[in-house]
Amino acid sequence: MANKSMATRDAYGEALLELGKRRLDIVVLDADLSGSTKTGKFGKAFPERFFNIGVAEQDMIGMASGLSLTGKLPFASTFAVFETGRAWEQIRQTVCYSNLNVKLVATHSGITVGEDGASHQAVEDIALMRVLPNMTVIVPSDGYETTQVINTIADEYFGPVYVRLGRSKVPSVMPERYRFKIGKAHVFNMGKDANIIAAGIMVSMAIAAAEILKKNGIDTGVINMSTIKPLDTKTLLKAAKSCRVLVTAEEHSVIGGLGSAVSEFLSEHYPVPVVKIGIRDEFGCSGSSEELLKFYGLTPDKIVKTIKKALK
Amino acid sequence: MAKVSQATVIELKEKAKELRKEILKMLTTAQSGHTGGSLSAADIVTALYFHKMRHNPKDPKWRERDRFILSKGHAAPLLYAALALSGYFSKSLMKTLRKLGSPLQGHPCSRTLPGVEISTGSLGQGLSIANGIAAGLKLDGLGSRVYCLLGDGEIQEGQVWEAAMTAAHYKLDNLCAFVDNNGLQIDGHCCDVMYIEPIVKKWEAFGWNVFDINGHDMAAIVNALDQAETVRDKPTMIVARTVKGKGISFFEGKVQYHGMAPTPEELKKALKELDEDGK
């Protein structure tokens, strides 16, 4: 249950281990980062079903694809920037084109990677995965949701999935009664003045921002759009129609991510302005994750200011 | 080990000739596609589909089948000819190569055509996939084998060497790959474009069992395949020295026929040459 703050990658490591116990067809691949991605836990428990491919992400995706062709259910993990960037074409040509049952679960997404700097901070991975036919893209908001996502994509869905996880601890936000479903957003509440469509770590920021705004008499809703593809367009339309200002919040470039997905849909079906909070067209940099969130404006305060300005 | 019989060799050589004819007809109808590299590997693929591999055209997903991965996906006409002549689909389908709505895509597509294990076409990726299949078969305790055909230009791709390490590291002795060493790639001679020799030493250094054979010597191909099955704890690479455009005198060794289809006149001449060969 959702009662403690934890990194989504830690929840992944636990979920994978449990999944490995109850399903013998699960195989796990990593590219020399199993300590960081937490797949090492599975590897220790089931060494014969764990493949460390070394520093070779492209080969890892091919190997995962081959394993899936023999009926195994592969989870392939490394940092988001390498998984989606270095191996993009392997994901396109093999995993997506042939619609293989390969689960790509990447950790260390976004700027909250921290001190390692821009080379290790994926702020364009959602864009890279979202553009691929047959791909499903999921960004869980906390550990509790991550566990459900991992089980759902293993037990209830056949096909390529990209799951975006983080390095740093995030507060627990999802209620105990919550049940993840692919393509179904979770509505915390709908606002009359503003609605924030958020994903990943920005969900907790959006909740904090909405509380501050409420004290200022601004009725703000929060929606966790954890599945970015396929987008929950029904909920999105409702949110856009019910308020005066629609805001998206993501730890990703405003080009190609959640904000873009929302804009693409609304521009055709219900054209309203979409205010995007995210990384502008730039790379990350070194710093602590808290410092970087402030530096790039990914904070409740920034959301509050943005909404107040938009309502003027 | 008993060497392959002369009768089998003669039979396979006839089959290879049939494959070459189908390739040429298919490409002439399509008026685009890759002639040279389909012909250079025709003897290898014949030995696999019509002698070595355990497979069932009536049940393409048979769990215990041997697998073939065409990593050099541009030799699609060769794979299609082998599949059609094996009985995976009607021979008449070959006329639709590269046409809108055809399951015979320009490069092999596993979603549209039975018998194609995985879509290929972007070079350098097939060996990694073959590794994954080989590892999966081992996990299941199946004795099936995995075959993979690479081009020689293709081994310029870095991922090939990642996969080379992986196959040796995981001791995938149920894997046997070929390099179709016809010496030519689109832009010219391989060793002018990007030096690839010494191919044999490279694979040996990566921990593979390596055979260096004439890729048009049917007996040598079959014997190498038989020997590869006896090797333990190592994957096998068969470096097949071939001639691009093999079988048609005016295509042989010509770089321009890498990606060019025969004209109807060339087809007529080519079919005649194949018919007269050995007579």
Side-chain angles (χ1 to χ4, degrees), chain B residues 181-198:
Chain B
N181 181 211
N182 60 36
L184 296 173
Q185 57 190 108
I186 308 183
D187 271 357
H189 290 270
C190 292
C191 285
D192 292 335
V193 176
M194 180 52 63
Y195 198 73
I196 54 173
E197 289 288 349

Side-chain angles (χ1 to χ4, degrees), chain B residues 56-126:
Chain B
N56 182 0
K58 300 278 167 283
D59 184 9
K61 297 279 179 195
W62 176 41
R63 194 163 169 258
E64 290 172 43
R65 72 193 182 280
D66 293 332
R67 270 75 162 177
F68 175 71
I69 306 296
L70 183 67
S71 193
K72 48 172 283 186
H74 56 275
L78 169 59
L79 176 61
Y80 299 156
L83 291 173
L85 294 183
S86 295
Y88 281 88
F89 49 83
S90 160
K91 280 167 74 175
S92 64
L93 259 187
M94 287 192 280
K95 289 196 218 69
T96 67
L97 172 69
R98 289 179 166 245
K99 299 277 190 281
L100 184 65
S102 171
L104 278 66
Q105 292 286 294
H107 292 80
C109 175
S110 56
R111 283 180 302 113
T112 58
L113 197 62
V116 175
E117 297 287 352
I118 186 69
S119 307
T120 51
S122 173
L123 295 174
Q125 303 191 17

